[in-house]
Amino acid sequence: MESFSKKKVIVVGAGPVGALSALYFSHAGWEVEVYELRGDLRLPENLSLNFSKSINLALSERGINGLRNLGDGGKLLDEVLAETIPMYGRMIHTGVPGEKGESQKYDVHGRVCLFIRSADRGRLNVQLLDALALKDVKLFFYHGLRGLNLDANMAEFEKISGTGERVTVRADLIIGADGAHSATRRLLQKSVRMYYEQVYIETLWQEYEIPPDEETGDFKIDANHLHIWPKKDFMFIAIPSIVCSPPPIWGHDKTFTCTLFMEQWRFDTIGESREDLLSFFRENFEEVVDLVGEDSLVEQYLNHQKLPLISIKCRPYHYKDRCVIVGDAAHAMVPFYGQGMNAGFEDVSVLFEHIKAHPNSLAYALASYSAYRMPDGHMINELAMQNHIEMRATVTSKAYLLRKAIEEALYAYVPWLGVRTMYSMVSFSNIRYTEVVNRTRRQRKWLNAAAMALLVGGIMGGLWGVNRLGLRKMGWLRMVKGWFR
């Protein structure tokens, strides 16, 4: 029988998913070492690293469940949730100053259990690293993965700081949690005939900040919503930032972290002209200009990077009993469903379910995990792409709002039908992503059929009424009957 209790695992990547992976293995009794290309985020001098250059996180049920299943009695989960802000819905803005936004609750019946949480990525990462420090886990920063000899259970790292010395480490298992541009995945491809698909979308993203109100010191807009200024082909969003301790290192006092999602050619058209920039924002996001301030808006636009968005699919996720990739390393996605980190945390939880289900064979456990999880990884990639269109355009559609209201009403008042919105199943449940899509397709077919039946019934009822009124002589009945032949 294979024993996992005294085996050694190397985790490549100390981001949120890598840190959670290390915690799971540590709680399971493994010897754990974590290797990170960048510096320790817990140190103030490292705040300018790419750790913090990411879109604010939306923590939802899948991510929460990943923390819940860690096995620490919920201690870490409680600490994380204490430093988040609930967002009960989307606030859709026209962009006109003084015009109140339209609130689209995640649950139209106001049930307080249905909300997502705004979390500061850097702060969450530190909480996970602090939890690792309490365990017998060794952390190695400024170590870049340079080679893998998986059949020999060996990994080679280069010390980025100092002399560039290379060190070789042996481990029974290597976990690749090193992000979208994963070195683990790239080296894994030398051992696995891997299907790999990478797409950069036309949209770029740029981060902004809305400061607190100067008079009150409070948020300038409602802090319990995800704010969206949709413009069909591009959009501006704002997510509340929580006050974290110890200030001023962590968090922003009553600010909003904002993102402009826009095509490259629009950025190029604006260029570096203050006049063109303000003209563009006045035309499309006039309210944002007043919230950010003209001078600050120009300063942030000129100094903040305009970064690409990547979507990655691959398979398989593993090699024998030696290596497996999780999180963005396995399925990097665009951020429009807010599921990147949530899916990564779910990866770790699901991986351990398979390890526990196959205690006699780590090779079988990894193969089982890879086969099970890959369809869900691909599916959430596609859903994230689709939600880009919904956020920037469809959220203002009357057809979208009507369908959402009908699905929510059926879920609330006729729950035995099992009708739920796709967003609700993705964000507020742990139903597999593939099953979410299958259920959504089935229920929309059923709803469409029911709507058609109601329409036909209404027409036939109307015709019966016409017949009863004795208006057959007008020939309407024969004409309409002909439509259905």
Side-chain angles (χ1 to χ4, degrees):
M1 175 183 290
E2 229 177 324
S3 172
F4 298 126
S5 59
K6 298 299 181 181
K7 290 200 169 191
K8 178 179 177 179
V9 60
I10 287 173
V11 179
V12 184
V17 175
L20 185 64
S21 300
L23 283 168
Y24 263 78
F25 278 94
S26 179
H27 277 279
W30 289 58
E31 179 187 352
V32 183
E33 294 182 357
V34 179
Y35 291 82
E36 169 57 52
L37 176 65
R38 297 162 295 187
D40 188 344
L41 182 60
R42 294 170 297 177
L43 302 177
E45 60 267 27
N46 291 329
L47 289 180
S48 61
L49 297 173
N50 284 339
F51 269 115
S52 56
K53 292 181 181 177
S54 64
I55 301 162
N56 245 29
L57 297 175
L59 179 63
S60 57
E61 169 56 25
R62 295 173 195 272
I64 291 171
N65 195 52
L67 293 167
R68 185 186 295 126
N69 293 337
L70 175 59
D72 65 345
K75 181 177 181 294
L76 179 59
L77 175 61
D78 290 341
E79 292 175 1
V80 168
L81 296 184
E83 296 192 15
T84 61
I85 298 177
M87 297 184 292
Y88 297 101
R90 299 166 172 167
M91 186 72 75
I92 309 303
H93 297 263
T94 62
V96 178
E99 187 170 310
K100 189 176 180 180
E102 176 192 354
S103 175
Q104 294 181 2
K105 298 289 188 181
Y106 293 129
D107 175 51
V108 295
H109 300 285
R111 287 167 292 184
V112 296
C113 59
L114 296 185
F115 61 88
I116 60 177
R117 298 171 181 267
S118 172
D120 181 275
R121 186 187 195 278
R123 179 56 184 159
L124 174 60
N125 208 156
V126 166
Q127 290 175 304
L128 291 164
L129 292 175
D130 284 343
L132 281 177
L134 298 176
K135 305 288 292 182
D136 188 20
V137 174
K138 297 176 182 178
L139 298 169
F140 298 89
F141 296 99
Y142 295 115
H143 278 67
L145 181 64
R146 295 295 180 260
L148 287 177
N149 184 343
L150 295 176
D151 289 319
N153 295 95
M154 306 296 286
E156 184 181 45
F157 295 91
E158 178 185 356
K159 295 182 180 180
I160 305 302
S161 60
T163 62
E165 174 190 356
R166 295 204 174 197
V167 293
T168 301
V169 186
R170 185 194 177 281
D172 298 287
L173 176 63
I174 297 169
I175 306 289
D178 45 345
H181 303 286
S182 169
T184 311
R185 184 187 61 237
R186 175 175 54 81
L187 294 168
L188 181 61
Q189 289 174 332
K190 296 181 179 181
S191 301
V192 175
R193 289 181 295 179
M194 181 182 287
Y195 167 83
Y196 178 75
E197 176 185 322
Q198 172 180 298
V199 177
Y200 281 98
I201 67 173
E202 292 297 320
T203 298
L204 303 180
W205 68 276
Q206 185 183 41
E207 195 164 272
Y208 293 80
E209 182 180 281
I210 295 176
D213 187 279
E214 292 183 358
E215 294 183 2
T216 66
D218 203 352
F219 290 104
K220 285 187 176 179
I221 49 180
D222 188 344
N224 296 121
H225 280 81
L226 165 63
H227 295 261
I228 306 176
W229 288 262
K231 290 296 176 182
K232 295 191 183 300
D233 296 320
F234 55 99
M235 65 179 171
F236 192 92
I237 71 169
I239 299 177
S241 298
I242 193 167
V243 180
C244 299
S245 59
I249 293 176
W250 295 119
H252 307 282
D253 188 4
K254 305 294 186 179
T255 64
F256 274 83
T257 298
C258 311
T259 311
L260 173 62
F261 294 101
M262 191 166 70
E263 307 99 311
Q264 174 77 60
W265 70 266
R266 294 185 192 273
F267 282 111
D268 293 341
T269 300
I270 295 171
E272 297 188 0
S273 166
R274 176 187 175 94
E275 292 73 21
D276 290 346
L277 171 63
L278 292 176
S279 175
F280 170 82
F281 268 85
R282 286 292 182 195
E283 179 182 349
N284 296 286
F285 308 115
E286 189 171 0
E287 184 181 12
V288 172
V289 179
D290 295 334
L291 290 170
V292 178
E294 286 190 1
D295 291 339
S296 179
L297 182 68
V298 172
E299 186 274 331
Q300 292 185 61
Y301 177 85
L302 294 178
N303 291 287
H304 293 182
Q305 290 180 289
K306 304 169 185 67
L307 299 170
L309 293 167
I310 193 171
S311 177
I312 291 174
K313 298 177 184 177
C314 68
R315 64 173 183 269
Y317 293 161
H318 79 294
Y319 175 70
K320 297 181 178 178
D321 61 347
R322 309 300 170 87
C323 183
V324 65
I325 53 176
V326 293
D328 283 354
H331 45 67
M333 67 196 73
V334 294
F336 304 111
Y337 229 121
Q339 286 295 299
M341 181 195 67
N342 293 290
F345 281 11
E346 188 175 58
D347 283 349
V348 180
S349 180
V350 172
L351 172 61
F352 257 79
E353 287 177 7
H354 284 262
I355 290 176
K356 290 177 181 178
H358 306 288
N360 298 325
S361 174
L362 183 58
Y364 194 89
L366 297 188
S368 173
Y369 164 77
S370 186
Y372 178 90
R373 190 60 177 163
M374 181 273 297
D376 294 313
H378 287 198
M379 185 59 70
I380 189 55
N381 276 54
E382 294 173 11
L383 292 178
M385 285 286 198
Q386 294 170 16
N387 211 47
H388 183 203
I389 299 172
E390 178 174 309
M391 289 181 69
R392 75 189 189 200
T394 314
V395 288
T396 58
S397 162
K398 289 182 173 59
Y400 163 82
L401 296 174
L402 176 61
R403 188 190 76 228
K404 179 178 182 294
I406 291 173
E407 290 174 342
E408 284 280 9
L410 290 173
Y411 178 51
Y413 299 120
V414 199
W416 53 268
L417 288 177
V419 175
R420 297 179 65 177
T421 65
M422 178 183 285
Y423 188 91
S424 173
M425 286 188 281
V426 168
S427 298
F428 306 126
S429 83
N430 295 294
I431 302 169
R432 292 184 66 182
Y433 292 120
T434 46
E435 178 59 21
V436 167
V437 172
N438 290 335
R439 288 191 188 187
T440 301
R441 288 171 178 165
R442 289 195 299 268
Q443 75 183 29
R444 287 184 181 172
K445 285 182 180 179
W446 178 86
L447 289 172
N448 289 339
M452 181 59 70
L454 289 172
L455 176 62
V456 172
I459 291 174
M460 298 306 294
L463 294 176
W464 180 84
V466 168
N467 185 52
R468 293 288 292 175
L469 289 171
L471 299 178
R472 287 175 294 175
K473 294 180 180 179
M474 301 179 68
W476 294 355
L477 184 57
R478 287 190 298 274
M479 177 180 69
V480 174
K481 284 182 177 178
W483 295 346
F484 295 95
R485 290 176 181 171

